[in-house]
Structure formats: C-alpha cells, structure tokens
Amino acid sequence: MLIRDGFSSGGDAAWRLRESVRKRREYTLQAALLLLLVAVVAAVVMTVGANLEARNIRSGFDFLSARAGFEIGETLIPFSSADSFLRAFGVGTLNTLYVSAWAIVTSTVLGFVVGLMRLSRHPMLRLLGTAHVEAYRNIPLLVLLFAIYLVVTELLPAGNRAWHLGNWLYLSKAGLQYAQPLWGWWAVLGALVTAGVAAVAVRWWRAKKKKKKKKKKKTVAVFFVVFALSWVAAGAIGGWEHPRATRFALRGGGQWTPEFLTLWLGLTLFTSAAIAEIVRAGVLAVKPGQWLAGYALGLTRAETVSYIVVPQSLRLAIPPLASQYMNLTKNSSLAVLVGYPDVVSVGNTAINVTAQALEVISLIMLVYLFLNLVTAVVMNRINRAVMKSSF
C-alpha cells in the first residue's frame, strides 16, 4: 500500500512538472508574439508618420478639439456646429449604439417567434416562418434598406394625413411620431435607474431564496417590464407631450425619422432570419426524451417548449447569437447610405472637413472594436449564467 501510494505521488509530481513546463512554454510564446505585434505596429506607425511628414500632410488627433463646423440632423444629445469634433463623434457613436440596441431587441424577439414557427405542427405557420427566413437571408441588406426607404418615403401618407392611433402614434413620410412624457430624457433616465434597481433587487432576492428552491425570476424580463412601467408612470405623473397637427406637418412629441425607421427595420428583418435558424437548430438539438418527459408530466406542447426545451436550447444558441449581435452592430454602418447620422456618416463628414482620413478611420475602427468587445463580454457572462443554471 505504501509503495502504491509512493508511485501515485511520484506520478502526480511528474504530471505537475509537465504542466508547469507546458504553461511556461505557452506564456513565453504568447509574450514573444505580443512583442512582435507591438514591434510591427510601431514600425507601421513610424513609417506612416514619416511619409505624412515628407508630404506635408497634417497628422495627429489635435483636430478633435477644434470646432466641427457642421450640423448633425438627428442627435440624442444637444449638438451644434460650434461644438468640437470629439463631441460630433460622440453623437455619432450614440446614434450607432441607439439603433443597434433597438435592432438587437426586436430582431431577437422576432427571430425567436419565427424560429418556433418553423417548428410548428401547423403547416401555415411553418410556411410563413420558412418564407420569412428564405426571403431575408437571400436578399442583400443593402437592397433591403433601399426597398424599405422607398416604402417609407414614397408610399406612406404626408404628415397632415398621417395614419394615427388616437393622438398617441402617427406614421407618415416624416417617420413615426409618438407621445412622450414632458420630462423627456429625464423620464428615460429615471426609468433606467428604477429598472436597474429592480433587476438588482430581484437578483439578490433570487440568490437569497435559492436554497429554498423558490421559483426563479427572470432578471432581464423584470428590467424591461419595470422600465416600461416607469416610463409610462413618468408620463402619467408629469403629463404627456402629444404630436399636434400643423398646416404642413406634425410637431411635438418624440420622433423616429424615416432614416432611423429604415435602418432599424432593415437590421431587424435581416438579422431575425439568422436568429430564427439559430433558435430552430438549438431546439432540434434537445434530445427527444426531454419532450417526452414534459408530456409525461402533463405539460402541453407550448409549456414543454417554454419550460423545458428553450432553456436547454439556449446553451447552444447563445454563442452564435453573440456573433449575430456583433454582425448587426457592424452592419449598422450601412446607415450612411440612407442618411442616418451614425459614426461612419459623421466620420465621412469629418474627413471632408479636416482631410485627416487616417485618423478618422482609426477612430471609427476603435468605436466598432469597443462596441463588439462590450457585446462579447456581456454575452459571455450571459452564457456562463445559462450554463450554470441549465439542467
């Protein structure tokens, strides 16, 4: 017994030694590659700087603090031509983030619905789901954006004859105009804070009650529900600003411009087709025994899908969903073709004003790199949470 234990200890020591050598070799190789990459980047920067200086071309990022000298048609924060280029890039980045966030939410919801439709037993639902996927997966996004923009700007009625739902929603060539709380962005900020506090409280309560096997609450669903209720409550307390008809157009309230509507709808429809296929593949990957177990417990097909199949399919669906979200964010750069002032559109204008194309393009690349890295980090955290909670 002692001899056997000695052999076991010796084997463990040899294994630890091999692992230590392997890790040391990997870290050394990674450090060498990192140094090589830094050297290459430094050489490229020095060469480019020398070439620009030889041709008397101005370089550097000092222009960011200069006066922009141009207006931006659609902004989430105040902006004028007297503001700096840095603020202009901030406005463009916020516009990119705004349309991408909306498109991610709506494409996810639509993709899940269409993906489940493709698995339905009803032939008409399956046909409609298949038609949606085949149509939007085979139409180039650029062509789809042009088609939607044509519909919005040509086929919708004029502002004074807008389609409306009471005095709350108006749809016309001018876009979608809606009633909003008089508190404006303060209502949105307050709703975000309230929803965040509610989500954290539910998460804490769920962790506290976990040992007692209480039913889990969906933190994300709580966030969105509380946000919507808080925004409506802000309007009910502080009053609503309704769009009002003038002689030629509608004034007041909130507005989604035709350019925003075009980009949002295009990204939603295009990405939802891919998400539908991801959802369908994830559901089909769940073993048939799980379906039979749900039926054996007396659950209906819809309940089996909701409570058993979909939670397990998320383990396979979330990684490709992260890729689709990052693709959606990058595809939003096509906004420049329909006139929506995203970061690429602002960058093009800045290039025309400053003639510093290299610096502006570098900033645009850094913006998309940052947004995609944030998306990857968030989705990785969600993936880890799903893997821990799945059964």
Side-chain angles (χ1 to χ4, degrees), residues 276-353:
E277 289 296 272
I278 293 172
V279 172
R280 185 174 73 92
V283 172
L284 291 176
V286 177
K287 295 181 179 180
Q290 299 296 318
W291 293 81
L292 298 177
Y295 297 149
L297 292 173
L299 301 178
T300 64
R301 181 177 174 84
E303 291 172 338
T304 302
V305 171
S306 300
Y307 300 133
I308 297 178
V309 177
V310 169
Q312 295 184 73
S313 66
L314 287 177
R315 291 181 296 177
L316 299 174
I318 287 180
L321 278 178
S323 297
Q324 289 301 320
Y325 294 158
M326 288 187 280
N327 286 336
L328 185 151
T329 303
K330 290 181 286 188
N331 287 336
S332 68
S333 61
L334 292 175
V336 66
L337 300 175
V338 294
Y340 181 71
D342 73 326
V343 66
V344 176
S345 177
V346 172
N348 288 340
T349 306
I351 290 175
N352 293 330
V353 174

Side-chain angles (χ1 to χ4, degrees), residues 39-53:
V40 170
V41 172
V44 170
V45 170
M46 293 173 62
T47 302
V48 171
N51 290 335
L52 291 176
E53 185 177 357

Side-chain angles (χ1 to χ4, degrees), residues 187 190-192 194-195 225-235:
L192 284 173
T194 304
V225 170
V226 173
F227 173 80
L229 293 177
S230 301
W231 189 78
V232 172

Side-chain angles (χ1 to χ4, degrees), residues 62-329:
D62 295 338
F63 72 95
L64 290 175
S65 60
R67 180 177 179 273
F70 59 86
E71 298 286 347
I72 299 178
E74 188 172 348
T75 64
L76 296 176
I77 59 176
F79 180 82
S80 68
S81 59
D83 290 324
S84 65
F85 280 101
L86 182 60
R87 188 175 181 85
F89 275 101
V91 170
T93 302
L94 285 177
N95 285 343
T96 296
L97 185 60
Y98 184 63
V99 70
S100 299
W102 271 108
I104 284 173
V105 172
T106 52
S107 63
T108 302
V109 174
L110 182 58
F112 266 83
V113 172
V114 174
L116 296 179
M117 285 173 61
R118 294 207 64 191
L119 298 169
S120 174
R121 292 176 176 175
H122 197 289
M124 183 57 68
L125 289 178
R126 282 203 312 273
L127 177 62
L128 292 175
T130 302
H132 179 95
V133 170
E134 295 300 328
Y136 294 118
R137 288 191 72 183
N138 291 287
I139 296 177
L141 179 56
L142 179 59
V143 176
L144 180 60
L145 290 176
F146 282 143
I148 295 174
Y149 193 69
L150 177 65
V151 170
V152 172
T153 58
E154 297 296 333
L155 301 183
L156 290 180
N160 55 358
R161 294 182 288 107
W163 298 336
H164 62 92
L165 181 62
N167 61 346
W168 296 93
L169 290 175
Y170 293 84
L171 182 62
S172 65
K173 294 180 186 294
L176 180 67
Q177 292 175 263
Y178 54 90
Q180 66 176 0
L182 288 173
W183 294 343
W185 282 104
W186 287 108
V188 176
L189 181 61
L192 284 173
V193 172
T194 304
V197 171
V200 171
V202 168
R203 187 179 182 88
W204 172 83
W205 180 85
R206 185 179 66 181
K208 184 178 179 181
K209 299 294 183 180
K210 188 175 181 180
K211 295 181 179 179
K212 297 183 179 181
K213 297 183 179 179
K214 296 290 183 179
K215 185 178 179 181
K216 292 184 178 182
K217 304 297 182 182
K218 300 298 184 181
T219 306
V220 176
V222 169
F223 177 86
F224 285 109
V225 170
V226 173
F227 173 80
L229 293 177
S230 301
W231 189 78
V232 172
I237 296 173
W240 293 91
E241 180 187 3
H242 296 274
R244 61 186 185 279
T246 62
R247 183 176 180 182
F248 299 106
L250 293 167
R251 304 295 181 190
Q255 182 183 18
W256 284 0
T257 63
E259 294 76 21
F260 177 87
L261 279 177
T262 298
L263 187 61
W264 168 60
L265 285 174
L267 293 174
T268 296
L269 295 174
F270 185 80
T271 309
S272 66
I275 292 177
E277 289 296 272
I278 293 172
V279 172
R280 185 174 73 92
V283 172
L284 291 176
V286 177
K287 295 181 179 180
Q290 299 296 318
W291 293 81
L292 298 177
Y295 297 149
L297 292 173
L299 301 178
T300 64
R301 181 177 174 84
E303 291 172 338
T304 302
V305 171
S306 300
Y307 300 133
I308 297 178
V309 177
V310 169
Q312 295 184 73
S313 66
L314 287 177
R315 291 181 296 177
L316 299 174
I318 287 180
L321 278 178
S323 297
Q324 289 301 320
Y325 294 158
M326 288 187 280
N327 286 336
L328 185 151
T329 303

